Amino acid sequence: ITSHHITDSKPQDIMKWNGWGYSDSRFLFNKKGQGEFTGKRYRLSGMILPSLKDWFEATFGTSLQHKTPATPTLNVSAVPPPNLVEPFVEELKVAGVAASHDPEGRVFRSHGHCLHEIFALREGRIGRVPDLVVWPNCHNDVVKIVELACKYNVCLMPYGGGTSVSSALECPLEETRSVVSLDTSQMNRILWIDEKNLTVHVEAGIIGQDLERQLNESGYCTGHEPDSMEFSSLGGWVATRASGMKKNIYGNIEDLVVHIKMVTPRGVIEKSCQGPRMSTGPDIHHFIMGSEGTLGVVTEVTMKIRPLPEYQKYGSIVFPNFQQGVSCLREVARQRCAPASIRLMDNEQFQFGHALKPQVSSIFTSFLDGLKKFYITKFKGFEPHHLCVATLLFEGDREKVLQHEKQVYDIAAKFGGLAAGEDNGQRGYMLTFVIAYLRDLGMDYYVIGESFETSVPWDRVLDLCRNVKERIVRECKERGVQFPPFSTCRVTQTYDAGACVYFYFAFNYRGLADPLHVYERVEHEAREEILANGGSLSHHHGVGKLRKEWMREAVSTVGLGMLQSVKEYVDPNNIFGNRNLL
Amino acid sequence: MASVLYSPRDPGLKKRDELEDMLEERRRSSDARHALRCYAPAVYKGLAPREVSALRGAVLQSDALQHVIGQVSAECGERRELVQEEAAHLLDEMAHRLRLGTVRFFAYVLSKVFKTLFRSVRVNEEGVQRLQQAIQDHPVVLLPSHRSYMDFLMMSYILYTYDLALPVIAAGMDFMSMKVVGEMLRMSGAFFIRRSFGGDKLYWAVFSEYVKTMLRTGYAPIEFFLEGTRSRTGKSLTPKTGLLNIVMEPFFKGEVFDIHLVPVSISYDRILEESLYARELLGVPKPKETTSGLLKARQILREDYGVMHVYFGHPVSVRSLAQGRVKRSQYNLVPRHIPQRPCLAAQALVGEAAFRLVRLQEQAMVLRPWTLVATLLLQNPDGMDLPVLEEQAAWLRRLALSFGAFLDWPDCKPCREVVGAGLALHKNLARVSGGRVRLAVAETPGVGQTAEELAFDRAVGVLSCASYRNQILHVFIRPALLSVALRTANSSRKDEVYTCFNFLWTVFSNEFILCPGASVQDFEEACYLLGKCCAVQESQQDIVMSEGGHATLAFLRALLDPFLQGYQVVCQYLCKETEENLRENKFVPAARNFALQLILAGTLKCYEALSSDLQKNALAALVQLEAVTKVKVGDQVTLKVNRRAASSLEDMLGGRIPTQKPVHARL
């Protein structure tokens, strides 16, 4: 990825207002009908993807003739006028906090990236949007804003990178007060680096890629790399209990955080020291992490850092089938030798990955590819419609990486796995960042889809994957979807006691009167199926408003009551009124 | 799909598939070629079929079985290896060893046998196609009705003929005593379960894991009989839920996406075991299954058994059944290989499903005109003039059809011919002489025959005939209960009629397939059906007999009469029994003897009271109604009779006193 500072107070200038990511980067089918990825930011940018069209048409039963283009520009007159509390706005101005009720900025901060949110924007439908956007510059600005919000009973909704996929950023329809979007993007400084303790103190509005790049310049990294890291913010990670691709080495956000400062209507909450572990009652950080903006605004965080790894190596393994692949990942987890990242794609995703292969530059490469295919399917007897691929990323000092690599490949061999080269692995990780752009392409041609995730004990991984995929197919069929949906999964993280599973699902909605409703029902049923099969409500996306209905079941009535009483104490007037989680 | 289980209010409207004779092809082409033809059935999800040995290994090494082996070894202090060996031994005793060679042998022999026995074997081919699809999509459980040993041979034969995956069949251990046949059956896909293994944890674990492993891997369709055993009476038996529980568990635990249960209704013009069953019901012990005994049965090959019908019902999805009823997440907190008692909701669901499935079986049983003739003859023990019989049979046909019976009555033929054909096929049961038809029972004792023997002889005739009447009872049972209730109720007020209905419904809940908890639904269905045939008129509050309803109601009451009488005899017997500690196993012979004495004395005309099936059902009802308590003393079960309760029950059944028990169900 090539980065761009999204520290601008007007990100809508370089990012799509009704789709994923940068305005200059998008998939399209060119005049020859070839797939293409535009822009210059990514390795795939500017490349032709010759197999994309065939895969796309065969998988979804679509035709490039049938287009569903998005509304090109935001119709500003459709944006409801702001409901402003004048004295509040006045006092903000006096306090020197930047604020704006420019309609474009308000619309931009009125949504995350759930399908229904983007779908509505593409159709030019604008729902409830925040009435005002404010840009605090530092912790003290936030303290002032929260004080004023309390004083004037204004509803605050913290906004970080806007990558939520849980309806967390949707303004509650029942909210009658003035809604203020508190954009943390200007609080993006690294305040200090402590090399003795290997910690960094950062303002919570910093975007993932900026944090990582700036640390790299000093020879460090946090190692926290969620798939959304180009756009998501540190404060958002804390508020949703984020997980990073390389958590096997660096840990998830809860393992990385040493200290958190949060401004609440009751005042500021923080610990008095930066001890690495404490026995001081329940960890108050755990009230903050996952609070999804319902208790306050995270302003500053102390995080662990690590020296940049000396060596990185990608890898990939082909398995004869998904079951063998899962058994291998389980064994890797049992031996606690998981690489920085290990992901297992099912067969459909493997084929999908193939569809995104750029035009090969030389005859020799294509010859090699053919040879590889021959070796795997004919010589080794792998069934092309069953085989699946794991992608790996090793990190550390060179010698250890090589040793580690051998250990993992040896385990894989026991489960029929064949090493399939570094290129395939690297391509897999590169696709991580562009895959989110694909949904916009689908939506140009009657295809809608989404991804969702869960975590599940090892012994239920296979059953859960099979049942959820099948449930999606069934529900689509029963709801009149004309063509079988794309329903696929991958195991993206391994733990001692289980794994994180990611599902992708998409379908062609031609002929459906209310595609969004069908989509929502299917997603709902898929979540029911996950829960029935022993999966969690969420591994790292969070609950937001999308999954709220299952919270009681997920944490028990007492558990929910505990969370509610915390909310009641911290924010009795529901100033942080995004109504997520509870 | 859940709605499949809940029959539409008007069963007559249900669409049924056409039936085709599958023997026709066999009569035209070579049986040997049929037996040797290429057999390549479609399998579950296109998986390659597993070897028997792989299955054995998977069961023995399964976490579930290993867990129980560990437990058993700890409990009885035996070495783990020994328990493991014991488990392997149990599995070998149980497991099938399907071999295509044996299947081909059977395909050849059975082609010959079936062509000799039956004029035709008619199958709904649409059902076969549905089954074929189901087998590829889901693990399938075949649930045939059970009237004859022929049932499972025929099932496998049909599946082989239509190139469907052969089922693995749960059979009772009693076959095992027939050495050769037992092994042959094993090689054609039967596996054997002991009749009782209540407390044997290890046996249970081996057995349930064996079944579940086959199901989870889609190894083969599993086939078993919900009724547990062959019905000797022609009525469906109260379903057993043990195996159904086992096969539904993999769905509850998320190990499979869904399981499809396929009810199969197998009906016979004539049952091979006809008089054998009647004798069994009268206490002549069932002959032990021996190979030589089976060979003696050769003579049955010489007889004409008419047409056989096999109807494959719509697959019932367990997932749809469980939708909104069973929370699968309850299994989230315990590893799935550790045995867990199913929750109450799951138990209730399985119980209910079992009843509904048996009802589906009943509803798709093809009924032949003879069953109507037999019904009429039983109601007229002194015989009927042939024209009267024909006329009444035609009337009964219309009634049965309006109640939704799956009646195979050829439209094109005159009634006389249809009735005549039935009488001809069943000439051993009914006799035509001088234009009069009556049951073929002896009038006077033969040479050297005691009065007792004569009575038994007659009873055999009556019970054989009753086994045909019983086949249509499921069509009439609800309206029949209502007809009796209408007579016994004090007024025509609906709630009072319902009280009486519900009393009878409860008493007969072991005798007929009445789904637990569905008495209100059944009452409504009965009202609807009787209203539809203009026998009753319903208003907001009342339900009364219509002007022309007399004949229908009288017929329906007469249908229940043998049961009402039989139950009263049992009550009488229990009231008169002087033995304080009546042993349970003495009950049937004693009750039979009591009934026999009444018959010999001429005070009882109802031979069906001699049936052990009826007596056992009556006892179960009495226990349920707390007129009898079972007390376990040592390993003996004795019956404690509450004479007052039994006596008042008798009076209520006889309509002498009104139904007393307040009933709390809402209308």
Side-chain angles (χ1 to χ4, degrees), chain A residues 203-228:
Chain A
E203 289 182 314
I206 196 164
I207 299 300
Q209 57 168 321
D210 298 334
L211 172 62
E212 225 45 17
R213 194 185 51 255
Q214 290 174 43
L215 283 174
N216 291 357
E217 283 162 11
S218 321
Y220 293 104
C221 67
T222 63
H224 186 65
E225 294 185 11
D227 289 0
S228 62

Side-chain angles (χ1 to χ4, degrees), chain A residues 88 103 157 203 248 251 257 260 304 326 330 394 396 428 463 555 577:
Chain A
F88 172 76
M157 287 181 60
E203 289 182 314
N248 292 335
V257 156
I260 306 174
K304 299 182 200 170
V326 171
R330 203 281 160 266
F394 297 91
D463 288 333
V555 301

Side-chain angles (χ1 to χ4, degrees), chain B residues 98 128 347 508 660 667:
Chain B
L98 186 67
V128 173
Q347 284 177 31
F508 287 127
Q660 289 155 341
L667 267 177

